[in-house]
Amino acid sequence: MTQQFLSPTPLLDFQTDAIQSLIAVRGWKTLSQTDKIGAAYDFVRNEILFGYNSEDAIPASRVLADGYGQCNTKGTLLMALLRALGVVCRFHGFTIDKRLQRGVVPELVYPLAPTSIIHSWVEVKHSEQWMELEGFILDAPVLAALQVAFPERNVLCAYGAGTE
């Protein structure tokens, strides 16, 4: 399943004071397009911690206020920041089987979890090409902990990550 949000949505509330203020304080509007993308990406990856919000369909300003998120909610915030910076971007997603969540979702709840779960990422249009932005879900401390837990792995693919 692929979905694109090319027009403003209520979730991408990039005009809010919190988002506009963050961009102004960090001085991101003065950066080159490449550096704007990098600044927004690095902020969402490392300053918005990995965790599960109350639901996926919350506005970007709420993700910012929560200070944590996962692929769908951190993606919403990343898109809002990019749109506020004038960077063309879109949402992509596909469904994954719930078996990938086994061990992350408590075993008592696992039978109640939906069969398919949406995983998403963001794409930006840069230099007339669409580029995928992945890897912003896990903040640096969580990623480092996974790398220590699985030292024999060169990539951390097919491992679910969860929080209490």
Side-chain angles (χ1 to χ4, degrees), residues 35-157:
D35 290 340
K36 286 177 183 177
I37 294 167
Y41 177 93
D42 287 341
F43 174 81
V44 171
R45 177 176 181 240
N46 291 314
E47 295 188 51
I48 303 298
L49 303 178
F50 172 71
Y52 291 92
N53 308 86
S54 60
E55 61 181 301
D56 282 355
I58 60 173
S61 59
R62 169 79 183 280
V63 180
L64 181 61
D66 284 353
Y68 59 87
Q70 38 77 10
C71 61
N72 301 317
T73 55
K74 284 181 101 171
T76 298
L77 177 57
L78 180 55
M79 283 187 62
L81 292 170
L82 292 168
R83 294 258 174 105
L85 292 167
V87 177
V88 176
C89 59
R90 63 186 179 190
F91 168 93
H92 272 259
F94 64 93
T95 57
I96 59 174
D97 190 276
K98 80 175 186 178
R99 289 177 292 179
L100 291 173
Q101 295 284 326
R102 181 157 242 144
V104 175
V105 176
E107 237 5 83
L108 289 173
V109 178
Y110 182 79
L112 303 174
T115 304
S116 296
I117 301 163
I118 293 179
H119 172 67
S120 65
W121 67 93
V122 174
E123 289 187 343
V124 295
K125 193 162 192 181
H126 183 58
S127 299
E128 300 306 313
Q129 292 185 323
W130 285 104
M131 301 172 65
E132 292 181 10
L133 297 182
E134 269 274 22
F136 57 84
I137 302 163
L138 300 177
D139 56 85
V142 169
L143 180 59
L146 286 170
Q147 290 168 326
V148 167
F150 300 100
E152 71 287 355
R153 301 285 301 186
N154 293 327
V155 295
L156 292 173
C157 185

